[in-house]
Amino acid sequence: MRNVIITGATRGLGLAMVARLLREDGYRIIAIGRRETPELAALIAAHPDRVLWRPYDLADLEGIPALVTGITREVGPLYGLVNNAGVNDSVGLDAGR
């Protein structure tokens, strides 16, 4: 099984990439996001042996090595990474005006 981490996997493009890889044989997806959505939960329920959910806020940069180490200990080597997590600038783009 090829293990692929997809960040930002709970909605939008990340969720679409999870669904797309599920149509291909041989992939296990490790879905990462801040909070699970009903859409992702449905994919996990339909494919419990192929989608693993790991809630994590990637803004916590210091914890990422431990997250990845834990994942690789659980599932083995990683085949790929889709780094799709977004950034929410809470200040806003027009703050400098």
Side-chain angles (χ1 to χ4, degrees):
M1 191 74 62
R2 293 176 173 166
N3 298 308
V4 177
I5 291 176
I6 299 179
T7 67
T10 59
R11 59 192 173 104
L13 187 57
L15 183 65
M17 287 185 273
V18 171
R20 176 65 180 93
L21 279 182
L22 285 172
R23 290 195 297 268
E24 300 289 328
D25 288 332
Y27 290 96
R28 177 186 298 123
I29 298 111
I30 300 91
I32 297 176
R34 287 179 294 177
R35 57 190 75 76
E36 190 177 43
T37 59
E39 297 83 4
L40 179 62
L43 290 176
I44 294 168
H47 306 276
D49 57 330
R50 295 195 49 213
V51 183
L52 303 175
W53 166 240
R54 294 298 174 266
Y56 192 81
D57 184 350
L58 292 169
D60 177 10
L61 298 177
E62 290 180 8
I64 293 172
L67 173 69
V68 174
T69 297
I71 290 169
T72 56
R73 283 186 181 148
E74 181 179 355
V75 302
L78 298 175
Y79 177 78
L81 166 66
V82 178
N83 194 14
N84 177 64
V87 174
N88 182 3
D89 181 0
S90 61
V91 174
L93 295 176
D94 61 348
R97 292 183 188 174

